[in-house]
Amino acid sequence: MLDDFFMRALVAGVGLALTAGPLGCFVVWRRMAYFGDTMAHSALLGVALSLLMGFNLLLSVFIVAATVSILLLLLQKRGTLSTDALLGILSHATLAIGLVMVSFMTWVRIDLVGFLFGDILAVSRADVDLVWGGGILVTFAIIWMWRPLIASTVNPELAEAEGMEPEKTRLIFMLLMALVIAIAMKIVGILLITSLLIIPAATARRFSTSPEIMAVLASVIGALAVIGGLFGSLKFDTPSGPSIVVAALGLFILSLLTKPRTSGVDSSTASQGGQA
Amino acid sequence: MLQTPTKTVQPLVSLSGVGVRRQGRWLVRGVEFSIAPGEIVTLIGPNGSGKSTTAKTAIGVLKADEGRVERKAGLKVGYVPQKLAVDWTMPLTVDRLMTLTSSLKGAEIDAALEATGIRHLARAEVQHLSGGEFQRALLARAIARKPDLLVLDEPVQGVDFSGEIALYDLIKTIRNTTGCGILLISHDLHVVMAETDTVICLNGHVCCRGTPDIVSQSPEYQRLFGARGGQTLAFYNHNHDHTHLPDGRVLHADGSITDDCRPNDGHHGDILPTGGRAGPMRLGLGSGHVHGPNCGCGHDAAPRSEDSKGARRDA
């Protein structure tokens, strides 16, 4: 069954969407959308370094994304610039350095578009194994630290006062995100990774009454978007990565048209502030 | 009063000479107190006086830059932070909030919600609660895990006056039934919970400490607070021997001015033992007690904006 390129794309895409669901919920809850973008953009620097040094691509992307997130933590502690500005600097600096480095390496021919927008139809059998292996690892890690993750998302000081370690939780969460970005790069591409994290989670919010339900729903909605996007790309001969995102957006718009399950989830409650 | 903390009981937490510094500035310094099981300690002081900092240091959320914080081994803390905003993107019902940091049995959750009077809201999303309901939910969450030490950072904020009395009554009941120690931060400089064993007034350091005066007997306060309020609320008489100048320096009763103020800096006549109770040692206006224009303690005769209840003992 996995001999067919389309089938491989489906299996890999669904595997990624299932992993991205719960992770995406935390990105939304913790207001880390721009942070996810920054990590994703830094992936191109990882690609360039991998080509330059001959490292394993996945490992190199993971290390660069993890380094950027730790760098951000350190810069935040110095507190001279807002997180917003720091993210803007890191995000575009790493992307630009990556692009410059790639242009210097005249001896390698790389498919830049493939890295930026993904090439899900070209996933190999090994890629499928990687997506599912990595996905299961990430999902188990999230289930294992679910309570501290939720508690430190609601309020890190409360979590710490009651015997948890929010700093450690945050660090592990960032590493998991770096791993998912490294895995997802090939499927939806650097520029669209965060959309696969955020859009299904945002869609799931209206139908959820607990964080757990929202995490599972986000996975299911993400998987539907991948299936819809891939079939759409086959039918209309459109690029697969962007098609998946468009399908996710379609589901999100549909969800806006339906009546929410819980009464009064409207813009008037959206003004409540949150903790990053 | 349930009991007087004695030296034989191991304190849940004790702070000695604790100071916290951020960006070269001391937020608090020279803080000394301890909390025994069953004891209620109330921290009061103007905004930015280091009340929350002190409480967070006591429970280990912040690290002390000097001094010592000792916590009983395996101390179980229940914490109600001053500010907690649940992002509206997270679907969180009151029921789910209860098990945020520990897993609980359904009966334990129900009992805590019942005690705080919000059982009917168990299925409501926390973002839809009013300020007072949300405070009750947070309190229910903190008590449901049966802590040894309950830390409440302004638990009555956003709660109306009768709700405030009800919450203080509830805190008293919690202390009496579970015997836990309670560290309470009050937003009010003069009115504290009547059951408080020790009041500590902070303004970057411990300005004064003592016991509150129960006012239930006075008909004047009966009229102000109602019969129930008079039993629940109490006045605290500040007892300062120094003044905070507008530039942050401290003017002592002996006329000297220092950058900060610590218990053993030689400017204070009376050094109180850790966790001890100071007897009423009042310094009248004529006895070297100087009031600066920005003296945040509000213990001079002119009405001040901090007095939310507008009630005071005439100087």
Side-chain angles (χ1 to χ4, degrees):
Chain A
M1 153 181 128
L2 290 176
D3 293 338
D4 178 38
F5 77 95
F6 189 72
M7 209 58 213
R8 282 200 302 271
L10 264 183
V11 172
V14 168
L16 176 67
L18 294 178
T19 313
L23 210 66
C25 287
F26 283 104
V27 172
V28 170
W29 294 332
R30 291 178 165 235
R31 306 200 162 184
M32 287 169 73
Y34 200 14
F35 175 81
D37 240 15
T38 303
M39 279 174 97
H41 286 177
S42 75
L44 197 76
L45 183 59
V47 171
L49 283 175
S50 140
L51 292 170
L52 192 68
M53 316 278 216
F55 281 163
N56 175 287
L57 182 69
L58 185 92
L59 194 68
S60 160
V61 168
F62 171 77
I63 288 171
V64 169
T67 308
V68 163
S69 61
I70 289 164
L71 201 63
L72 179 79
L73 278 186
L74 293 177
L75 287 170
Q76 271 179 330
K77 284 216 170 124
R78 292 189 55 183
T80 40
L81 275 174
S82 70
T83 306
D84 215 33
L86 288 174
L87 283 172
I89 292 169
L90 285 175
S91 169
H92 300 116
T94 47
L95 185 65
I97 295 171
L99 287 168
V100 169
M101 277 176 71
V102 166
S103 78
F104 269 124
M105 289 182 278
T106 45
W107 61 93
V108 285
R109 282 192 57 229
I110 69 160
D111 176 16
L112 203 57
V113 173
F115 282 113
L116 292 178
F117 296 102
D119 197 0
I120 192 172
L121 298 179
V123 296
S124 64
R125 182 63 211 260
D127 291 331
V128 174
D129 292 345
L130 189 74
V131 166
W132 278 87
I136 287 168
L137 185 79
V138 169
T139 307
F140 268 107
I142 286 187
I143 291 171
W144 173 62
M145 49 188 256
W146 185 260
R147 196 187 298 277
L149 257 176
I150 293 280
S152 60
T153 300
V154 169
N155 189 297
E157 288 183 340
L158 192 151
E160 184 154 16
E162 301 192 353
M164 292 169 169
E165 296 164 291
E167 285 281 323
K168 202 173 106 189
T169 308
R170 186 182 155 112
L171 185 69
I172 296 174
F173 177 73
M174 284 178 170
L175 292 180
L176 291 179
M177 210 151 117
L179 185 59
V180 168
I181 282 167
I183 295 170
M185 187 177 61
K186 189 146 195 181
I187 295 179
V188 282
I190 288 163
L191 295 182
L192 297 177
I193 287 170
T194 16
S195 61
L196 204 60
L197 288 168
I198 293 165
I199 300 175
T203 312
R205 171 61 182 98
R206 295 173 69 82
F207 308 103
S208 310
T209 50
S210 77
E212 292 76 19
I213 292 174
M214 182 162 154
V216 172
L217 268 185
S219 286
V220 173
I221 291 166
L224 288 177
V226 166
I227 295 167
L230 276 178
F231 277 102
S233 116
L234 195 67
K235 188 164 162 47
F236 303 110
D237 194 24
T238 50
S240 48
S243 302
I244 291 170
V245 177
V246 169
L249 178 71
L251 289 175
F252 176 69
I253 292 169
L254 268 181
S255 83
L256 291 180
L257 301 176
T258 57
K259 276 230 180 294
R261 250 186 61 98
T262 51
S263 60
V265 183
D266 53 39
S267 54
S268 69
T269 53
S271 56
Q272 301 245 4
Q275 319 264 331
Chain B
M1 303 280 151
L2 184 74
Q3 65 197 84
T4 311
T6 55
K7 293 272 178 264
T8 51
V9 182
Q10 194 204 353
L12 299 168
V13 58
S14 74
L15 283 72
S16 51
V18 166
V20 179
R21 186 162 55 178
R22 286 290 174 275
Q23 275 132 27
R25 199 170 71 88
W26 288 100
L27 300 180
V28 286
R29 218 174 170 187
V31 177
E32 309 245 352
F33 69 89
S34 66
I35 307 165
E39 189 184 9
I40 299 179
V41 173
T42 298
L43 298 179
I44 57 175
N47 292 335
S49 60
K51 300 183 299 267
S52 292
T53 304
T54 302
K56 284 176 194 171
T57 311
I59 54 178
V61 172
L62 294 178
K63 300 277 169 288
D65 293 299
E66 67 172 20
R68 224 172 47 240
V69 180
E70 280 170 35
R71 277 180 292 275
K72 204 182 93 179
L75 181 75
K76 197 170 177 185
V77 175
Y79 181 44
V80 175
Q82 184 184 15
K83 283 196 198 84
L84 198 158
V86 180
D87 198 284
W88 78 278
T89 54
M90 185 188 272
L92 197 69
T93 59
V94 172
D95 245 344
R96 180 64 185 82
L97 178 74
M98 293 297 120
T99 55
L100 194 64
T101 59
S102 44
S103 61
L104 299 167
K105 291 192 194 79
E108 291 172 312
I109 296 172
D110 287 346
L113 292 176
E114 188 76 58
T116 48
I118 51 162
R119 196 165 169 186
H120 60 290
L121 295 171
R123 304 217 164 267
E125 285 202 19
V126 293
Q127 291 92 343
H128 297 155
L129 300 181
S130 72
E133 288 167 343
F134 189 49
Q135 281 298 323
R136 283 161 186 272
L138 289 177
L139 185 61
R141 193 207 62 78
I143 62 171
R145 63 195 305 263
K146 302 193 171 54
D148 306 313
L149 175 66
L150 199 53
V151 179
L152 310 171
D153 198 341
E154 303 198 4
V156 294
Q157 56 176 321
V159 180
D160 59 29
F161 188 53
S162 62
E164 177 176 337
I165 291 169
L167 268 180
Y168 279 148
D169 277 339
L170 172 65
I171 292 167
K172 179 176 83 181
T173 312
I174 293 165
R175 193 274 306 263
N176 291 348
T177 51
T178 68
C180 67
I182 294 176
L183 178 60
L184 191 66
I185 295 176
S186 172
H187 65 295
D188 199 302
L189 281 168
H190 302 283
V191 181
V192 297
M193 199 180 141
E195 294 289 316
T196 298
D197 296 296
T198 309
V199 179
I200 296 168
C201 173
L202 283 172
N203 195 355
H205 61 95
V206 178
C207 284
C208 65
R209 66 170 79 211
T211 51
D213 294 337
I214 312 295
V215 293
S216 55
Q217 284 80 18
S218 156
E220 251 176 86
Y221 296 120
Q222 289 258 358
R223 205 174 58 240
L224 264 173
F225 296 137
R228 251 179 95 225
Q231 287 156 20
T232 306
L233 302 173
F235 270 97
Y236 178 67
N237 271 292
H238 291 268
N239 196 358
H240 296 203
D241 55 1
H242 60 275
T243 308
H244 290 265
L245 299 172
D247 60 3
R249 290 179 306 163
V250 175
L251 171 63
H252 294 275
D254 58 12
S256 56
I257 292 176
T258 54
D259 283 339
D260 54 22
C261 184
R262 306 179 66 186
N264 52 356
D265 60 7
H267 297 287
H268 305 269
D270 196 355
I271 298 163
L272 298 164
T274 309
R277 290 147 170 259
M281 173 196 73
R282 288 191 190 114
L283 292 166
L285 282 170
S287 59
H289 188 138
V290 191
H291 295 285
N294 278 13
C295 173
C297 304
H299 47 103
D300 51 353
R304 305 187 71 87
S305 56
E306 290 101 341
D307 293 294
S308 54
K309 303 288 173 292
R312 58 170 52 253
R313 170 166 292 185
D314 291 335

